[in-house]
Amino acid sequence: MEKLTYTHDAAAAAVIASVYPDAPPMAYVHSFGCQQNVNDGEKIRGVLQDVGFGLTDTLEQADLILFNTCAVREHAEQRVFGNVGALKQLKEKNPKLVIGVCGCMAQQPHIVEKLRRSYPYVDLVFGVDGIDRLPAMLAERFRRGKRYLEEPRARNAVVEDLPIRRDSGFRAWLPIMYGCDNFCTYCIVPYVRGRERSREPADILAEFRGLVAAGYKEITLLGQNVNSYGKGLAAPIDFADLLNLLCAVPGDYQIRFMTSHPKDASRKLIDTIAAQAHLCKHIHLPVQSGSDRLLKQMNRRYTAAQYRELIDYARAKIPGVTFSSDIIVGFPGETEEDFQATLDLVESVGYMQLFTFIYSKREGTPAAKMDDPTPRAEKTARMERLLAVQEKYSHAAVAALVGQTVRVLVEAAGRTPGTVNGRLDNNLVVEFPADESLIGQWAQVKLTAARAAMLVGTLA
Ligand code: 5AD
Ligand code: SF4
């Protein structure tokens, strides 16, 4: 693994300035997909500002439009193609407009080929590792006067000191590692995000300290599999050690993290969550399926019983802990019996939140070659059954909280005028009447009623 440090590219900035002599160019950047991608988008904005771009949220005002894409399911890819297609008219009106596609989709050769052939008005294409080189690529695009499409390549680097323009002043994403080595058979991520590589603890700690000093209240540690943090670093350190290191920083903040792979979630990690007041007592622990046969086919490397043991251990150690999970419905060859095992597991664990996905075939993954005879209608019907089981539990669990007074982080204006939304430790959202000046602050809220998966309250 290679560690690189971002440096300002004055030559590229000069080229960009010469293309826009009258006023600074404006960039529109939109990120699809997971938090890791959102954080990449924040860095893309930071880098663009570093070389002279202003930022805009309006497509029509943009000189550069960049889509930072997700490849995890077909639906995500279709949305990007739809969005890119809609730009054709803008480009006809403004031939100087630069349109770029980057991120996970652009890390796949067949997607780059499709953009090359069918989207001639797309000027700039690069994969997940190009953010630090974006100024140089833009300069190259301008020097050439024609499109610049990069062939996907794996760089296996960690780049530190990228400028960043964060979306929020009180909630921050902090990647602790990149890539994934798990190769779950359905998943494209190891192919697009490359091999697992951890950031140095000192670099993470420095960024973390900076966030706390800047007043950030919630810091979410990111990694495709945070539980394998530290593998390959010179000094021995694991994820629980890292959490302890960060929690020693004094301040008024809470820490979340995602995603945890159950095969690597250790008892040491659970004990750490129990012991550290800064850590939210909520664990996102994607199980994907309750069928041992399918878990094996998915290459998840745990059984439903092992997963349940982990949940039981956490419940015994962390009073009030809640869980959320991801489930894939309709994995190739999923039988009614397999699906029933998933329903049983979901029912017996009791998740606060469940993120459910119908299996999406990803070219190049092992599962794409598996027989998938289950009709789409059957998969949809299973999904509905799963949601019904989940709602029955979660609505009751949410309703059971009514009467408590809890601390929340106020995140945004509520749907009802005059209200705001706050997030509980367990990731649930409560709407309560309060002034918007409270956004970004802690509040004590008495929970007065439940509306399906959401809570209603009053300031305590
Ligand atoms: N099809 C459907 N869902 C998928 N996920 C990952 N790959 C696929 C796929 N090919 C889901 C998993 C993962 C979440 C981020 O997305 O549940 O945990
Ligand atoms: Fe999507 Fe996965 Fe890439 Fe995140 S890492 S943007 S979920 S494909």
Side-chain angles (χ1 to χ4, degrees):
M1 186 199 84
E2 203 185 352
K3 180 173 158 179
L4 304 168
T5 307
Y6 177 84
T7 46
H8 173 73
D9 189 338
V15 172
I16 292 164
S18 71
V19 177
Y20 305 97
D22 303 329
M26 301 299 277
Y28 172 101
V29 181
H30 184 80
S31 295
F32 298 82
C34 66
Q35 283 83 354
Q36 185 73 252
N37 230 33
V38 171
N39 182 249
D40 282 350
E42 294 179 324
K43 288 173 179 162
I44 290 171
R45 288 202 185 96
V47 166
L48 287 171
Q49 280 189 313
D50 184 47
V51 289
F53 278 85
L55 301 173
T56 176
D57 289 328
T58 313
L59 281 170
E60 287 74 16
Q61 276 175 7
D63 300 287
L64 165 67
I65 296 173
L66 192 53
F67 289 129
N68 182 30
T69 62
C70 171
V72 79
R73 284 173 291 274
E74 194 184 354
H75 177 70
E77 295 193 340
Q78 283 165 347
R79 268 179 63 204
V80 169
F81 281 119
N83 276 277
V84 172
L87 295 182
K88 196 174 172 192
Q89 284 183 332
L90 268 186
K91 180 88 174 195
E92 279 162 7
K93 268 192 259 162
N94 172 16
K96 252 185 97 175
L97 174 66
V98 176
I99 299 174
V101 175
C102 66
C104 291
M105 273 173 78
Q107 198 67 38
Q108 302 175 90
H110 73 276
I111 298 279
V112 176
E113 195 44 40
K114 181 166 171 177
L115 289 168
R116 186 192 309 283
R117 265 191 287 114
S118 310
Y119 296 83
Y121 49 93
V122 171
D123 299 278
L124 182 68
V125 175
F126 61 95
V128 295
D129 284 333
I131 301 172
D132 57 321
R133 293 177 294 116
L134 175 55
M137 288 189 274
L138 274 169
E140 180 63 22
R141 153 74 186 77
F142 290 131
R143 259 191 233 111
R144 282 188 188 186
K146 37 178 217 218
R147 55 208 304 233
Y148 180 85
L149 279 63
E150 228 178 36
E151 285 311 317
R153 51 174 167 165
R155 204 160 53 136
N156 206 27
V158 168
V159 185
E160 294 295 344
D161 291 344
L162 280 161
I164 182 160
R165 166 61 191 261
R166 294 189 190 272
D167 297 340
S168 160
F170 59 92
R171 283 198 304 169
W173 313 115
L174 202 176
I176 62 167
M177 58 186 303
Y178 305 98
C180 181
D181 287 352
N182 287 326
F183 290 95
C184 303
T185 55
Y186 50 80
C187 188
I188 195 72
V189 171
Y191 304 90
V192 294
R193 288 258 172 197
R195 297 291 59 73
E196 250 170 48
R197 50 219 189 267
S198 295
R199 291 177 72 192
E200 293 287 344
D203 292 328
I204 298 170
L205 188 59
E207 185 172 349
F208 186 84
R209 283 212 173 99
L211 289 168
V212 173
Y216 279 85
K217 301 271 189 311
E218 179 176 285
I219 299 166
T220 303
L221 310 179
L222 300 178
Q224 242 66 48
N225 177 13
V226 290
N227 296 317
S228 59
Y229 174 77
K231 280 179 198 160
L233 289 177
I237 180 167
D238 66 16
F239 182 51
D241 300 333
L242 178 72
L243 287 173
N244 285 323
L245 189 72
L246 299 179
C247 287
V249 174
D252 183 23
Y253 59 82
Q254 65 185 20
I255 298 178
R256 298 185 188 274
F257 54 83
M258 65 191 317
T259 294
S260 289
H261 193 303
K263 86 173 159 58
D264 301 316
S266 62
R267 298 199 161 198
K268 180 178 168 188
L269 171 65
I270 307 277
D271 296 345
T272 306
I273 299 172
Q276 292 287 9
H278 285 299
L279 300 180
C280 288
K281 309 304 178 216
H282 175 83
I283 313 176
H284 182 60
L285 202 58
V287 69
Q288 313 297 357
S289 168
S291 151
D292 287 342
R293 192 186 74 82
L294 279 198
L295 287 171
K296 206 171 173 106
Q297 294 274 305
M298 291 175 167
N299 191 31
R300 292 291 288 178
R301 286 173 279 176
Y302 54 82
T303 63
Q306 285 166 335
Y307 181 89
R308 266 181 241 230
E309 267 168 38
L310 194 61
I311 296 273
D312 290 345
Y313 183 78
R315 283 223 161 99
K317 286 279 167 164
I318 313 169
V321 69
T322 54
F323 301 93
S324 55
S325 193
D326 296 344
I327 303 272
I328 295 178
V329 173
F331 183 81
E334 181 187 72
T335 62
E336 174 57 29
E337 200 185 339
D338 293 321
F339 178 67
Q340 194 59 52
T342 298
L343 286 183
D344 291 347
L345 183 127
V346 167
E347 212 161 5
S348 75
V349 171
Y351 293 106
M352 255 322 165
Q353 285 138 339
L354 205 57
F355 302 92
T356 52
F357 311 100
I358 291 190
Y359 168 75
S360 171
K361 183 174 172 174
R362 306 285 65 210
E363 207 170 291
T365 61
K369 296 187 202 84
M370 296 178 187
D371 254 4
D372 189 6
T374 312
R376 182 84 192 179
E378 175 59 31
K379 294 188 181 187
T380 313
R382 284 181 190 164
M383 177 65 111
E384 273 160 24
R385 289 162 63 198
L386 175 60
L387 292 178
V389 166
Q390 170 58 17
E391 277 184 6
K392 204 174 107 204
Y393 172 83
S394 69
H395 291 184
V398 171
L401 297 173
V402 171
Q404 290 186 16
T405 298
V406 294
R407 188 179 83 149
V408 302
L409 179 57
V410 183
E411 287 187 345
R415 246 192 241 161
T416 321
T419 67
V420 294
N421 281 345
R423 193 172 295 270
L424 283 68
D425 189 288
N426 60 18
N427 230 3
L428 292 177
V429 174
V430 56
E431 187 180 86
F432 58 99
D435 193 75
E436 284 185 22
S437 61
L438 223 56
I439 293 172
Q441 308 291 322
W442 302 112
Q444 289 288 333
V445 176
K446 185 170 164 76
L447 307 173
T448 54
R451 277 203 310 240
M454 205 178 149
L455 287 149
V456 179
T458 52
L459 267 175

